[in-house]
Amino acid sequence: MRSAVKALAAAGVGAATTRAALHALRKWPPGGADRWHRTNYAGRSVTRLAGPAYTTGVVVASLLLPAPARMRAAMAVAAGTAGAVGVYDDLAGDQDTRGLAGHLGALRRGEVTTGAVKILGLGFAGITAGALVHRDPRDAVSAAITVAAAANAVNLLDLRPGRALKSGLVLGLAGIGGPAAVPAAGAFGAAAALLPDDLAERVMLGDGGAGAFGAAVGVAIAAGASRRGLRRIALALSAVNVASELVSFSSVISAVPPLRAFDEWGRR
Protein backbone atom coordinates (compact mmCIF):
# COMPACT_ATOMS: atom_id res chain seq x y z
CA MET A 1 0.00 0.00 0.00
CA ARG A 2 2.78 2.41 0.91
CA SER A 3 4.62 1.65 -2.34
CA ALA A 4 1.44 2.32 -4.33
CA VAL A 5 1.01 5.68 -2.59
CA LYS A 6 4.63 6.56 -3.35
CA ALA A 7 4.17 5.62 -7.00
CA LEU A 8 1.01 7.72 -7.31
CA ALA A 9 2.72 10.67 -5.64
CA ALA A 10 5.69 10.28 -7.97
CA ALA A 11 3.39 10.20 -11.00
CA GLY A 12 1.78 13.40 -9.77
CA VAL A 13 5.15 15.09 -9.34
CA GLY A 14 6.24 14.02 -12.82
CA ALA A 15 3.00 15.26 -14.37
CA ALA A 16 3.05 18.58 -12.51
CA THR A 17 6.68 19.37 -13.31
CA THR A 18 6.19 18.53 -16.97
CA ARG A 19 3.07 20.67 -17.31
CA ALA A 20 4.83 23.54 -15.54
CA ALA A 21 7.84 23.17 -17.84
CA LEU A 22 5.61 23.14 -20.94
CA HIS A 23 3.77 26.25 -19.75
CA ALA A 24 7.06 28.09 -19.13
CA LEU A 25 8.52 27.03 -22.49
CA ARG A 26 5.41 28.15 -24.34
CA LYS A 27 5.60 31.50 -22.60
CA TRP A 28 9.35 31.91 -23.20
CA PRO A 29 10.29 29.61 -26.12
CA PRO A 30 14.09 29.48 -26.59
CA GLY A 31 14.90 31.13 -29.91
CA GLY A 32 11.26 32.06 -30.55
CA ALA A 33 8.12 29.97 -31.05
CA ASP A 34 8.64 29.56 -34.80
CA ARG A 35 11.82 27.61 -34.18
CA TRP A 36 9.83 24.88 -32.46
CA HIS A 37 6.89 24.61 -34.84
CA ARG A 38 6.63 21.78 -37.31
CA THR A 39 3.99 20.55 -39.76
CA ASN A 40 2.85 17.05 -38.81
CA TYR A 41 1.71 14.15 -41.01
CA ALA A 42 -1.78 15.67 -41.39
CA GLY A 43 -0.50 19.11 -42.37
CA ARG A 44 -1.24 20.69 -38.99
CA SER A 45 1.20 23.00 -37.21
CA VAL A 46 2.34 21.62 -33.86
CA THR A 47 5.03 22.62 -31.38
CA ARG A 48 7.94 20.39 -30.39
CA LEU A 49 8.31 22.11 -27.03
CA ALA A 50 6.80 18.99 -25.48
CA GLY A 51 10.22 17.37 -25.93
CA PRO A 52 12.25 19.65 -23.69
CA ALA A 53 9.26 19.95 -21.34
CA TYR A 54 9.13 16.18 -20.84
CA THR A 55 12.89 15.93 -20.40
CA THR A 56 12.91 18.74 -17.85
CA GLY A 57 10.00 17.24 -15.97
CA VAL A 58 11.58 13.79 -15.69
CA VAL A 59 15.00 15.07 -14.66
CA VAL A 60 13.59 17.40 -12.00
CA ALA A 61 11.18 14.76 -10.70
CA SER A 62 13.94 12.14 -10.57
CA LEU A 63 16.11 14.40 -8.46
CA LEU A 64 13.25 15.26 -6.08
CA LEU A 65 11.65 11.85 -5.54
CA PRO A 66 12.47 9.59 -2.57
CA ALA A 67 14.24 6.60 -4.15
CA PRO A 68 17.68 4.94 -4.14
CA ALA A 69 20.26 7.45 -5.33
CA ARG A 70 21.60 5.18 -8.08
CA MET A 71 18.11 4.71 -9.54
CA ARG A 72 17.34 8.42 -9.44
CA ALA A 73 20.68 9.17 -11.09
CA ALA A 74 20.13 6.51 -13.76
CA MET A 75 16.72 7.95 -14.67
CA ALA A 76 17.97 11.55 -14.71
CA VAL A 77 21.09 10.79 -16.77
CA ALA A 78 19.34 8.52 -19.28
CA ALA A 79 16.34 10.77 -19.89
CA GLY A 80 18.39 13.98 -19.73
CA THR A 81 21.03 12.81 -22.20
CA ALA A 82 18.55 11.25 -24.63
CA GLY A 83 16.39 14.36 -24.46
CA ALA A 84 19.32 16.72 -25.05
CA VAL A 85 20.71 14.93 -28.12
CA GLY A 86 17.16 14.44 -29.43
CA VAL A 87 16.35 18.13 -29.19
CA TYR A 88 19.64 18.92 -30.93
CA ASP A 89 18.65 16.58 -33.77
CA ASP A 90 15.16 18.12 -33.89
CA LEU A 91 16.48 21.64 -34.32
CA ALA A 92 19.62 21.08 -36.40
CA GLY A 93 18.97 17.72 -38.04
CA ASP A 94 19.88 16.94 -41.64
CA GLN A 95 16.84 15.36 -43.30
CA ASP A 96 18.93 13.95 -46.16
CA THR A 97 20.49 11.27 -43.94
CA ARG A 98 18.11 8.84 -42.27
CA GLY A 99 18.21 5.65 -40.25
CA LEU A 100 20.93 3.97 -38.23
CA ALA A 101 22.65 2.70 -41.36
CA GLY A 102 22.67 6.14 -42.96
CA HIS A 103 24.12 7.95 -39.94
CA LEU A 104 26.70 5.26 -39.19
CA GLY A 105 27.69 5.21 -42.85
CA ALA A 106 28.21 8.97 -42.78
CA LEU A 107 30.27 8.60 -39.61
CA ARG A 108 32.54 6.06 -41.32
CA ARG A 109 33.11 8.61 -44.07
CA GLY A 110 34.17 11.15 -41.46
CA GLU A 111 30.89 13.10 -41.55
CA VAL A 112 29.39 13.71 -38.12
CA THR A 113 25.64 14.13 -38.62
CA THR A 114 23.22 15.19 -35.91
CA GLY A 115 21.87 11.65 -36.04
CA ALA A 116 25.34 10.29 -35.31
CA VAL A 117 25.57 12.61 -32.32
CA LYS A 118 22.23 11.24 -31.16
CA ILE A 119 23.42 7.64 -31.55
CA LEU A 120 26.56 8.35 -29.54
CA GLY A 121 24.52 10.19 -26.92
CA LEU A 122 22.10 7.27 -26.56
CA GLY A 123 25.08 4.94 -26.21
CA PHE A 124 26.46 7.10 -23.41
CA ALA A 125 23.05 7.24 -21.73
CA GLY A 126 22.71 3.47 -21.90
CA ILE A 127 26.19 2.69 -20.61
CA THR A 128 25.95 5.16 -17.74
CA ALA A 129 22.45 4.13 -16.70
CA GLY A 130 23.31 0.45 -17.03
CA ALA A 131 26.29 0.82 -14.70
CA LEU A 132 24.13 2.67 -12.18
CA VAL A 133 21.29 0.16 -12.25
CA HIS A 134 23.41 -3.02 -12.12
CA ARG A 135 26.79 -3.64 -10.53
CA ASP A 136 27.36 -6.96 -12.31
CA PRO A 137 29.12 -6.19 -15.64
CA ARG A 138 27.00 -8.66 -17.62
CA ASP A 139 23.75 -7.24 -16.30
CA ALA A 140 25.05 -3.72 -16.84
CA VAL A 141 25.69 -4.48 -20.52
CA SER A 142 22.16 -5.87 -20.94
CA ALA A 143 20.76 -2.80 -19.18
CA ALA A 144 22.81 -0.46 -21.37
CA ILE A 145 21.49 -2.10 -24.53
CA THR A 146 17.94 -1.99 -23.18
CA VAL A 147 18.09 1.72 -22.34
CA ALA A 148 19.66 2.80 -25.64
CA ALA A 149 17.50 0.49 -27.78
CA ALA A 150 14.29 1.49 -25.99
CA ALA A 151 15.10 5.17 -26.48
CA ASN A 152 15.55 4.71 -30.21
CA ALA A 153 12.58 2.33 -30.56
CA VAL A 154 10.13 4.75 -28.94
CA ASN A 155 11.59 7.53 -31.06
CA LEU A 156 10.88 5.48 -34.19
CA LEU A 157 7.21 5.31 -33.17
CA ASP A 158 6.74 9.08 -32.93
CA LEU A 159 5.19 9.33 -36.39
CA ARG A 160 1.56 9.64 -35.38
CA PRO A 161 -0.13 11.52 -32.51
CA GLY A 162 0.03 9.60 -29.25
CA ARG A 163 1.70 6.51 -30.74
CA ALA A 164 5.02 6.85 -28.91
CA LEU A 165 3.43 7.75 -25.57
CA LYS A 166 0.83 4.97 -25.64
CA SER A 167 3.36 2.34 -26.73
CA GLY A 168 5.94 3.48 -24.18
CA LEU A 169 3.42 3.42 -21.35
CA VAL A 170 2.42 -0.15 -22.21
CA LEU A 171 6.04 -1.26 -22.60
CA GLY A 172 7.02 0.43 -19.35
CA LEU A 173 4.56 -1.66 -17.32
CA ALA A 174 7.31 -4.29 -17.18
CA GLY A 175 9.34 -2.09 -14.84
CA ILE A 176 6.63 -0.78 -12.53
CA GLY A 177 7.53 -3.07 -9.61
CA GLY A 178 11.32 -2.82 -9.70
CA PRO A 179 13.71 -0.79 -7.53
CA ALA A 180 13.30 2.13 -9.93
CA ALA A 181 9.51 2.06 -9.49
CA VAL A 182 9.29 5.55 -7.94
CA PRO A 183 11.33 7.45 -10.57
CA ALA A 184 9.69 5.30 -13.26
CA ALA A 185 6.27 6.36 -11.99
CA GLY A 186 7.42 9.96 -12.21
CA ALA A 187 8.49 9.43 -15.82
CA PHE A 188 5.20 7.72 -16.70
CA GLY A 189 3.20 10.45 -14.98
CA ALA A 190 5.06 13.02 -17.06
CA ALA A 191 4.18 11.10 -20.23
CA ALA A 192 0.52 10.78 -19.27
CA ALA A 193 0.37 14.54 -18.68
CA LEU A 194 1.35 15.16 -22.31
CA LEU A 195 -0.86 12.48 -23.87
CA PRO A 196 -4.03 14.62 -24.27
CA ASP A 197 -2.15 17.42 -26.05
CA ASP A 198 -0.28 14.90 -28.19
CA LEU A 199 -3.47 13.10 -29.26
CA ALA A 200 -5.14 16.45 -30.00
CA GLU A 201 -2.15 17.44 -32.17
CA ARG A 202 -1.31 20.51 -30.13
CA VAL A 203 2.20 19.26 -29.38
CA MET A 204 4.71 16.80 -30.75
CA LEU A 205 7.29 14.90 -28.71
CA GLY A 206 9.94 15.08 -31.40
CA ASP A 207 13.20 13.17 -31.07
CA GLY A 208 13.85 14.95 -27.78
CA GLY A 209 10.70 13.88 -25.97
CA ALA A 210 10.38 10.43 -27.55
CA GLY A 211 14.03 9.60 -26.90
CA ALA A 212 13.85 10.78 -23.31
CA PHE A 213 10.67 8.78 -22.69
CA GLY A 214 12.13 5.68 -24.30
CA ALA A 215 15.26 5.97 -22.18
CA ALA A 216 13.13 6.31 -19.05
CA VAL A 217 11.16 3.21 -20.05
CA GLY A 218 14.46 1.40 -20.61
CA VAL A 219 15.71 2.27 -17.12
CA ALA A 220 12.45 1.06 -15.57
CA ILE A 221 12.66 -2.26 -17.44
CA ALA A 222 16.38 -2.71 -16.77
CA ALA A 223 15.86 -2.23 -13.05
CA GLY A 224 12.75 -4.38 -12.76
CA ALA A 225 13.40 -7.37 -15.03
CA SER A 226 15.11 -10.61 -14.02
CA ARG A 227 18.55 -11.38 -15.46
CA ARG A 228 17.16 -13.75 -18.07
CA GLY A 229 14.23 -11.48 -18.81
CA LEU A 230 16.50 -8.46 -19.23
CA ARG A 231 18.68 -10.28 -21.74
CA ARG A 232 15.65 -11.30 -23.76
CA ILE A 233 14.25 -7.78 -23.69
CA ALA A 234 17.61 -6.32 -24.76
CA LEU A 235 17.70 -8.78 -27.68
CA ALA A 236 14.09 -8.06 -28.65
CA LEU A 237 14.56 -4.29 -28.60
CA SER A 238 17.75 -4.61 -30.64
CA ALA A 239 15.83 -6.67 -33.19
CA VAL A 240 13.14 -3.97 -33.35
CA ASN A 241 15.78 -1.36 -34.13
CA VAL A 242 17.29 -3.52 -36.87
CA ALA A 243 13.84 -4.26 -38.31
CA SER A 244 13.16 -0.53 -38.59
CA GLU A 245 15.82 -0.37 -41.29
CA LEU A 246 13.92 -2.93 -43.36
CA VAL A 247 10.20 -2.31 -42.81
CA SER A 248 7.85 0.60 -42.14
CA PHE A 249 6.31 0.38 -38.69
CA SER A 250 3.39 2.52 -39.86
CA SER A 251 2.64 0.03 -42.63
CA VAL A 252 2.78 -2.89 -40.21
CA ILE A 253 0.50 -1.13 -37.71
CA SER A 254 -2.02 -0.26 -40.44
CA ALA A 255 -2.07 -3.87 -41.65
CA VAL A 256 -2.78 -5.44 -38.22
CA PRO A 257 -6.30 -4.56 -36.96
CA PRO A 258 -5.57 -4.74 -33.17
CA LEU A 259 -2.47 -2.59 -33.57
CA ARG A 260 -4.36 -0.17 -35.80
CA ALA A 261 -7.20 0.14 -33.29
CA PHE A 262 -4.75 0.81 -30.45
CA ASP A 263 -2.85 3.31 -32.58
CA GLU A 264 -6.00 5.23 -33.51
CA TRP A 265 -7.49 5.24 -30.00
CA GLY A 266 -7.97 8.79 -28.71
CA ARG A 267 -6.74 10.47 -31.87
CA ARG A 268 -8.71 13.38 -33.30
Side-chain angles (χ1 to χ4, degrees):
M1 182 66 179
R2 183 177 297 179
S3 60
V5 171
K6 285 184 178 180
L8 286 173
V13 171
T17 53
T18 298
R19 295 302 305 183
L22 181 60
H23 176 76
L25 286 167
R26 277 175 162 166
K27 192 171 184 178
W28 301 290
D34 290 344
R35 188 182 187 193
W36 298 90
H37 279 142
R38 179 177 175 177
T39 302
N40 71 359
Y41 81 106
R44 300 185 179 97
S45 179
V46 296
T47 179
R48 290 180 289 189
L49 286 170
Y54 177 81
T55 304
T56 301
V58 173
V59 171
V60 172
S62 297
L63 296 177
L64 292 177
L65 294 171
R70 293 173 68 90
M71 299 302 166
R72 291 190 291 116
M75 187 66 72
V77 170
T81 303
V85 295
V87 168
Y88 170 64
D89 194 30
D90 281 333
L91 297 180
D94 180 2
Q95 299 301 315
D96 294 332
T97 305
R98 295 179 177 273
L100 290 171
H103 292 296
L104 292 176
L107 194 59
R108 284 196 298 269
R109 297 191 300 270
E111 179 184 353
V112 181
T113 64
T114 56
V117 172
K118 185 171 68 176
I119 292 170
L120 295 173
L122 294 182
F124 170 80
I127 292 170
T128 305
L132 287 167
V133 171
H134 289 290
R135 297 182 186 274
D136 184 283
R138 294 169 297 177
D139 294 340
V141 169
S142 297
I145 295 171
T146 297
V147 172
N152 196 59
V154 172
N155 187 19
L156 291 169
L157 294 171
D158 190 37
L159 296 176
R160 293 293 185 272
R163 179 184 293 176
L165 288 175
K166 288 185 290 185
S167 301
L169 286 168
V170 171
L171 180 62
L173 292 176
I176 284 293
V182 171
F188 299 153
L194 292 175
L195 185 57
D197 280 346
D198 192 9
L199 288 170
E201 299 181 48
R202 290 188 290 267
V203 302
M204 176 185 288
L205 287 180
D207 287 5
F213 182 38
V217 170
V219 171
I221 293 174
S226 65
R227 172 174 289 179
R228 179 177 294 181
L230 180 56
R231 290 177 180 174
R232 290 176 176 175
I233 292 170
L235 181 61
L237 287 171
S238 298
V240 167
N241 279 273
V242 173
S244 71
E245 300 292 310
L246 306 174
V247 298
S248 165
F249 287 173
S250 291
S251 298
V252 172
I253 291 170
S254 296
V256 181
L259 292 179
R260 184 172 66 248
F262 175 72
D263 188 46
E264 294 176 350
W265 173 81
R267 193 184 300 168
R268 60 183 295 182

